[in-house]
Short mmCIF file of all heavy atoms in Angstrom, two decimals:
data_model
loop_
_atom_site.label_atom_id
_atom_site.label_comp_id
_atom_site.label_asym_id
_atom_site.label_seq_id
_atom_site.Cartn_x
_atom_site.Cartn_y
_atom_site.Cartn_z
N ASP A 105 11.97 -6.74 14.04
CA ASP A 105 11.24 -7.10 15.26
C ASP A 105 9.81 -6.59 15.13
O ASP A 105 9.52 -5.43 15.41
CB ASP A 105 11.92 -6.47 16.48
CG ASP A 105 11.10 -6.73 17.76
OD1 ASP A 105 10.10 -7.50 17.70
OD2 ASP A 105 11.46 -6.17 18.82
N PRO A 106 8.91 -7.46 14.66
CA PRO A 106 7.54 -7.00 14.33
C PRO A 106 6.60 -6.78 15.51
O PRO A 106 5.41 -6.54 15.29
CB PRO A 106 7.01 -8.09 13.40
CG PRO A 106 7.93 -9.24 13.48
CD PRO A 106 9.13 -8.87 14.30
N THR A 107 7.11 -6.82 16.75
CA THR A 107 6.21 -6.72 17.91
C THR A 107 5.29 -5.49 17.85
O THR A 107 4.07 -5.60 17.98
CB THR A 107 7.04 -6.65 19.22
OG1 THR A 107 8.07 -7.61 19.14
CG2 THR A 107 6.17 -6.94 20.44
N ARG A 108 5.90 -4.31 17.65
CA ARG A 108 5.09 -3.08 17.64
C ARG A 108 4.20 -2.99 16.42
O ARG A 108 3.09 -2.47 16.48
CB ARG A 108 6.02 -1.86 17.70
CG ARG A 108 6.39 -1.49 19.12
CD ARG A 108 7.24 -0.24 19.17
NE ARG A 108 6.61 0.92 18.58
CZ ARG A 108 7.27 2.01 18.15
NH1 ARG A 108 8.57 2.05 18.27
NH2 ARG A 108 6.63 3.03 17.64
N LEU A 109 4.71 -3.53 15.32
CA LEU A 109 3.95 -3.54 14.07
C LEU A 109 2.63 -4.31 14.24
O LEU A 109 1.56 -3.86 13.85
CB LEU A 109 4.82 -4.20 12.99
CG LEU A 109 4.30 -4.33 11.59
CD1 LEU A 109 4.05 -2.96 11.00
CD2 LEU A 109 5.31 -5.09 10.73
N VAL A 110 2.73 -5.47 14.88
CA VAL A 110 1.54 -6.30 15.09
C VAL A 110 0.58 -5.61 16.06
O VAL A 110 -0.63 -5.59 15.84
CB VAL A 110 1.95 -7.70 15.62
CG1 VAL A 110 0.73 -8.52 15.98
CG2 VAL A 110 2.79 -8.43 14.57
N ARG A 111 1.15 -4.98 17.08
CA ARG A 111 0.31 -4.28 18.06
C ARG A 111 -0.49 -3.18 17.36
O ARG A 111 -1.70 -3.05 17.54
CB ARG A 111 1.18 -3.67 19.17
CG ARG A 111 0.44 -3.49 20.47
CD ARG A 111 1.32 -2.81 21.53
NE ARG A 111 2.56 -3.54 21.80
CZ ARG A 111 3.73 -2.94 22.07
NH1 ARG A 111 3.82 -1.62 22.09
NH2 ARG A 111 4.80 -3.65 22.31
N GLY A 112 0.17 -2.41 16.49
CA GLY A 112 -0.50 -1.34 15.76
C GLY A 112 -1.56 -1.88 14.80
O GLY A 112 -2.62 -1.28 14.62
N ALA A 113 -1.27 -3.03 14.21
CA ALA A 113 -2.18 -3.60 13.21
C ALA A 113 -3.49 -4.07 13.84
O ALA A 113 -4.51 -4.15 13.17
CB ALA A 113 -1.51 -4.76 12.48
N ARG A 114 -3.45 -4.36 15.14
CA ARG A 114 -4.68 -4.83 15.80
C ARG A 114 -5.75 -3.74 15.78
O ARG A 114 -6.94 -4.02 15.82
CB ARG A 114 -4.39 -5.27 17.25
CG ARG A 114 -3.50 -6.49 17.30
CD ARG A 114 -3.53 -7.20 18.63
NE ARG A 114 -2.40 -8.12 18.75
CZ ARG A 114 -2.31 -9.29 18.14
NH1 ARG A 114 -3.30 -9.73 17.40
NH2 ARG A 114 -1.24 -10.06 18.28
N PHE A 115 -5.30 -2.48 15.71
CA PHE A 115 -6.25 -1.36 15.63
C PHE A 115 -7.13 -1.50 14.38
O PHE A 115 -8.32 -1.22 14.40
CB PHE A 115 -5.47 -0.03 15.58
CG PHE A 115 -6.34 1.16 15.32
CD1 PHE A 115 -7.06 1.77 16.35
CD2 PHE A 115 -6.47 1.69 14.03
CE1 PHE A 115 -7.87 2.85 16.10
CE2 PHE A 115 -7.29 2.77 13.78
CZ PHE A 115 -7.99 3.36 14.82
N VAL A 116 -6.51 -1.94 13.29
CA VAL A 116 -7.24 -2.05 12.02
C VAL A 116 -7.90 -3.42 11.88
O VAL A 116 -9.07 -3.52 11.52
CB VAL A 116 -6.28 -1.86 10.81
CG1 VAL A 116 -7.06 -1.92 9.50
CG2 VAL A 116 -5.52 -0.56 10.93
N PHE A 117 -7.14 -4.46 12.17
CA PHE A 117 -7.59 -5.80 11.82
C PHE A 117 -8.15 -6.60 13.01
O PHE A 117 -8.59 -7.72 12.83
CB PHE A 117 -6.44 -6.59 11.16
CG PHE A 117 -5.97 -5.96 9.87
CD1 PHE A 117 -4.74 -5.32 9.78
CD2 PHE A 117 -6.78 -5.99 8.74
CE1 PHE A 117 -4.32 -4.74 8.59
CE2 PHE A 117 -6.36 -5.40 7.54
CZ PHE A 117 -5.14 -4.78 7.47
N GLY A 118 -8.11 -6.02 14.19
CA GLY A 118 -8.68 -6.70 15.35
C GLY A 118 -7.68 -7.64 16.03
O GLY A 118 -6.58 -7.88 15.51
N ASP A 119 -8.10 -8.19 17.20
CA ASP A 119 -7.19 -8.98 18.02
C ASP A 119 -6.83 -10.32 17.40
O ASP A 119 -5.80 -10.89 17.71
CB ASP A 119 -7.82 -9.21 19.41
CG ASP A 119 -7.67 -7.96 20.27
OD1 ASP A 119 -6.77 -7.14 19.96
OD2 ASP A 119 -8.45 -7.80 21.22
N ASN A 120 -7.69 -10.83 16.53
CA ASN A 120 -7.44 -12.18 15.99
C ASN A 120 -6.86 -12.13 14.59
O ASN A 120 -7.10 -13.02 13.78
CB ASN A 120 -8.74 -12.99 15.99
CG ASN A 120 -9.31 -13.11 17.40
OD1 ASN A 120 -8.55 -13.25 18.36
ND2 ASN A 120 -10.62 -13.01 17.52
N LEU A 121 -6.10 -11.10 14.29
CA LEU A 121 -5.63 -10.93 12.92
C LEU A 121 -4.80 -12.10 12.40
O LEU A 121 -4.85 -12.42 11.21
CB LEU A 121 -4.86 -9.60 12.76
CG LEU A 121 -3.58 -9.35 13.55
CD1 LEU A 121 -2.35 -9.88 12.83
CD2 LEU A 121 -3.41 -7.86 13.77
N GLU A 122 -4.07 -12.78 13.30
CA GLU A 122 -3.23 -13.90 12.84
C GLU A 122 -4.07 -15.03 12.25
O GLU A 122 -3.59 -15.79 11.42
CB GLU A 122 -2.36 -14.46 13.97
CG GLU A 122 -1.15 -13.58 14.31
CD GLU A 122 -1.40 -12.68 15.50
OE1 GLU A 122 -2.60 -12.46 15.82
OE2 GLU A 122 -0.44 -12.21 16.12
N GLU A 123 -5.34 -15.16 12.71
CA GLU A 123 -6.19 -16.24 12.18
C GLU A 123 -6.38 -16.10 10.68
O GLU A 123 -6.44 -17.08 9.96
CB GLU A 123 -7.55 -16.23 12.87
CG GLU A 123 -7.49 -16.83 14.25
CD GLU A 123 -8.79 -16.66 15.03
OE1 GLU A 123 -9.85 -16.50 14.38
OE2 GLU A 123 -8.72 -16.67 16.26
N THR A 124 -6.49 -14.86 10.20
CA THR A 124 -6.66 -14.63 8.77
C THR A 124 -5.32 -14.38 8.08
O THR A 124 -5.07 -14.92 7.01
CB THR A 124 -7.58 -13.41 8.54
OG1 THR A 124 -8.85 -13.69 9.13
CG2 THR A 124 -7.77 -13.13 7.06
N MET A 125 -4.47 -13.57 8.71
CA MET A 125 -3.26 -13.13 8.03
C MET A 125 -2.06 -14.04 8.24
O MET A 125 -1.06 -13.91 7.56
CB MET A 125 -2.91 -11.72 8.47
CG MET A 125 -4.05 -10.74 8.24
SD MET A 125 -3.58 -9.06 8.58
CE MET A 125 -3.81 -8.33 6.97
N GLY A 126 -2.17 -14.93 9.21
CA GLY A 126 -1.03 -15.79 9.52
C GLY A 126 -0.08 -15.07 10.46
O GLY A 126 -0.24 -13.89 10.75
N PRO A 127 0.95 -15.80 10.94
CA PRO A 127 1.90 -15.18 11.88
C PRO A 127 2.76 -14.13 11.17
O PRO A 127 2.93 -14.20 9.95
CB PRO A 127 2.76 -16.37 12.33
CG PRO A 127 2.67 -17.36 11.21
CD PRO A 127 1.30 -17.19 10.61
N VAL A 128 3.24 -13.17 11.93
CA VAL A 128 4.15 -12.16 11.36
C VAL A 128 5.56 -12.49 11.86
O VAL A 128 5.86 -12.33 13.04
CB VAL A 128 3.74 -10.73 11.78
CG1 VAL A 128 4.65 -9.71 11.13
CG2 VAL A 128 2.28 -10.48 11.40
N LEU A 129 6.40 -13.00 10.97
CA LEU A 129 7.72 -13.48 11.37
C LEU A 129 8.78 -12.39 11.12
O LEU A 129 8.65 -11.60 10.19
CB LEU A 129 8.09 -14.73 10.56
CG LEU A 129 7.07 -15.88 10.66
CD1 LEU A 129 7.50 -17.06 9.78
CD2 LEU A 129 6.90 -16.34 12.10
N PRO A 130 9.82 -12.37 11.95
CA PRO A 130 10.86 -11.35 11.76
C PRO A 130 11.72 -11.62 10.52
O PRO A 130 11.90 -12.77 10.12
CB PRO A 130 11.71 -11.47 13.04
CG PRO A 130 11.41 -12.81 13.59
CD PRO A 130 10.05 -13.21 13.14
N VAL A 131 12.23 -10.55 9.94
CA VAL A 131 13.16 -10.67 8.82
C VAL A 131 14.58 -10.61 9.39
O VAL A 131 14.89 -9.68 10.14
CB VAL A 131 12.98 -9.49 7.82
CG1 VAL A 131 13.97 -9.62 6.66
CG2 VAL A 131 11.55 -9.44 7.30
N PRO A 132 15.42 -11.59 9.07
CA PRO A 132 16.81 -11.50 9.56
C PRO A 132 17.46 -10.18 9.10
O PRO A 132 17.32 -9.81 7.94
CB PRO A 132 17.50 -12.71 8.89
CG PRO A 132 16.37 -13.66 8.55
CD PRO A 132 15.18 -12.79 8.27
N ARG A 133 18.13 -9.50 10.04
CA ARG A 133 18.73 -8.17 9.76
C ARG A 133 19.56 -8.15 8.49
O ARG A 133 19.51 -7.19 7.73
CB ARG A 133 19.65 -7.77 10.92
CG ARG A 133 18.91 -7.28 12.12
CD ARG A 133 18.77 -5.77 12.10
NE ARG A 133 17.97 -5.36 13.26
CZ ARG A 133 17.36 -4.20 13.38
NH1 ARG A 133 17.43 -3.32 12.40
NH2 ARG A 133 16.66 -3.92 14.44
N GLU A 134 20.37 -9.19 8.30
CA GLU A 134 21.31 -9.17 7.17
C GLU A 134 20.61 -9.25 5.81
O GLU A 134 21.21 -9.02 4.78
CB GLU A 134 22.38 -10.27 7.31
CG GLU A 134 21.84 -11.71 7.23
CD GLU A 134 21.28 -12.25 8.56
OE1 GLU A 134 21.06 -11.45 9.50
OE2 GLU A 134 21.03 -13.47 8.65
N ARG A 135 19.31 -9.55 5.85
CA ARG A 135 18.57 -9.65 4.58
C ARG A 135 17.86 -8.34 4.24
O ARG A 135 17.27 -8.20 3.17
CB ARG A 135 17.52 -10.77 4.70
CG ARG A 135 18.13 -12.13 5.07
CD ARG A 135 18.87 -12.73 3.91
NE ARG A 135 17.94 -13.06 2.85
CZ ARG A 135 17.12 -14.12 2.88
NH1 ARG A 135 17.16 -14.97 3.89
NH2 ARG A 135 16.32 -14.36 1.88
N ILE A 136 17.92 -7.37 5.15
CA ILE A 136 17.21 -6.11 4.94
C ILE A 136 18.12 -5.12 4.23
O ILE A 136 19.27 -4.92 4.62
CB ILE A 136 16.74 -5.51 6.29
CG1 ILE A 136 15.71 -6.44 6.94
CG2 ILE A 136 16.17 -4.11 6.12
CD1 ILE A 136 15.22 -6.00 8.31
N HIS A 137 17.61 -4.52 3.16
CA HIS A 137 18.33 -3.44 2.49
C HIS A 137 17.53 -2.15 2.63
O HIS A 137 16.37 -2.09 2.24
CB HIS A 137 18.55 -3.75 1.00
CG HIS A 137 19.16 -2.59 0.27
ND1 HIS A 137 20.47 -2.19 0.47
CD2 HIS A 137 18.64 -1.70 -0.61
CE1 HIS A 137 20.72 -1.12 -0.26
NE2 HIS A 137 19.63 -0.80 -0.93
N VAL A 138 18.16 -1.13 3.18
CA VAL A 138 17.50 0.16 3.39
C VAL A 138 17.98 1.13 2.30
O VAL A 138 19.14 1.51 2.29
CB VAL A 138 17.83 0.70 4.79
CG1 VAL A 138 17.23 2.09 4.98
CG2 VAL A 138 17.30 -0.25 5.86
N PRO A 139 17.09 1.49 1.38
CA PRO A 139 17.52 2.37 0.28
C PRO A 139 17.45 3.85 0.66
O PRO A 139 16.82 4.21 1.66
CB PRO A 139 16.47 2.08 -0.80
CG PRO A 139 15.23 1.79 0.00
CD PRO A 139 15.67 1.14 1.28
N GLU A 140 18.10 4.67 -0.17
CA GLU A 140 17.91 6.12 -0.06
C GLU A 140 16.80 6.51 -1.02
O GLU A 140 16.50 5.79 -1.97
CB GLU A 140 19.19 6.85 -0.48
CG GLU A 140 20.29 6.71 0.53
CD GLU A 140 21.58 7.33 0.03
OE1 GLU A 140 21.54 8.11 -0.94
OE2 GLU A 140 22.61 7.02 0.63
N ASP A 141 16.23 7.70 -0.79
CA ASP A 141 15.22 8.20 -1.72
C ASP A 141 15.88 8.40 -3.09
O ASP A 141 16.93 9.04 -3.18
CB ASP A 141 14.68 9.55 -1.19
CG ASP A 141 13.47 10.02 -1.96
OD1 ASP A 141 12.89 9.22 -2.73
OD2 ASP A 141 13.08 11.20 -1.79
N GLY A 142 15.31 7.82 -4.12
CA GLY A 142 15.87 7.97 -5.47
C GLY A 142 16.84 6.86 -5.86
O GLY A 142 17.32 6.82 -7.00
N GLU A 143 17.15 5.97 -4.93
CA GLU A 143 18.10 4.89 -5.23
C GLU A 143 17.57 4.00 -6.35
O GLU A 143 16.37 3.76 -6.46
CB GLU A 143 18.32 4.05 -3.96
CG GLU A 143 19.38 2.97 -4.13
CD GLU A 143 19.74 2.32 -2.79
OE1 GLU A 143 19.88 3.04 -1.78
OE2 GLU A 143 19.87 1.08 -2.78
N VAL A 144 18.50 3.54 -7.20
CA VAL A 144 18.10 2.72 -8.34
C VAL A 144 18.62 1.29 -8.16
O VAL A 144 19.78 1.08 -7.81
CB VAL A 144 18.66 3.33 -9.65
CG1 VAL A 144 18.36 2.41 -10.83
CG2 VAL A 144 18.05 4.72 -9.89
N ILE A 145 17.74 0.34 -8.40
CA ILE A 145 18.13 -1.07 -8.41
C ILE A 145 18.24 -1.46 -9.88
O ILE A 145 17.26 -1.40 -10.63
CB ILE A 145 17.08 -1.94 -7.69
CG1 ILE A 145 17.00 -1.53 -6.21
CG2 ILE A 145 17.41 -3.42 -7.83
CD1 ILE A 145 15.85 -2.20 -5.45
N HIS A 146 19.44 -1.84 -10.30
CA HIS A 146 19.67 -2.16 -11.71
C HIS A 146 19.44 -3.65 -11.96
O HIS A 146 20.08 -4.48 -11.33
CB HIS A 146 21.11 -1.82 -12.11
CG HIS A 146 21.44 -0.37 -11.94
ND1 HIS A 146 21.01 0.59 -12.81
CD2 HIS A 146 22.15 0.28 -10.97
CE1 HIS A 146 21.45 1.78 -12.39
NE2 HIS A 146 22.13 1.62 -11.28
#
Side-chain angles (χ1 to χ4, degrees):
D105 175 7
T107 316
R108 274 183 59 200
L109 181 62
V110 174
R111 206 183 303 144
R114 294 197 196 284
F115 173 82
V116 182
F117 298 109
D119 282 339
N120 301 322
L121 62 88
E122 284 98 340
E123 283 172 24
T124 299
M125 304 187 118
V128 183
L129 304 178
V131 179
R133 283 266 177 199
E134 66 277 13
R135 303 287 293 284
I136 295 177
H137 174 71
V138 176
E140 288 175 16
D141 190 13
E143 185 170 318
V144 175
I145 297 172
H146 300 284

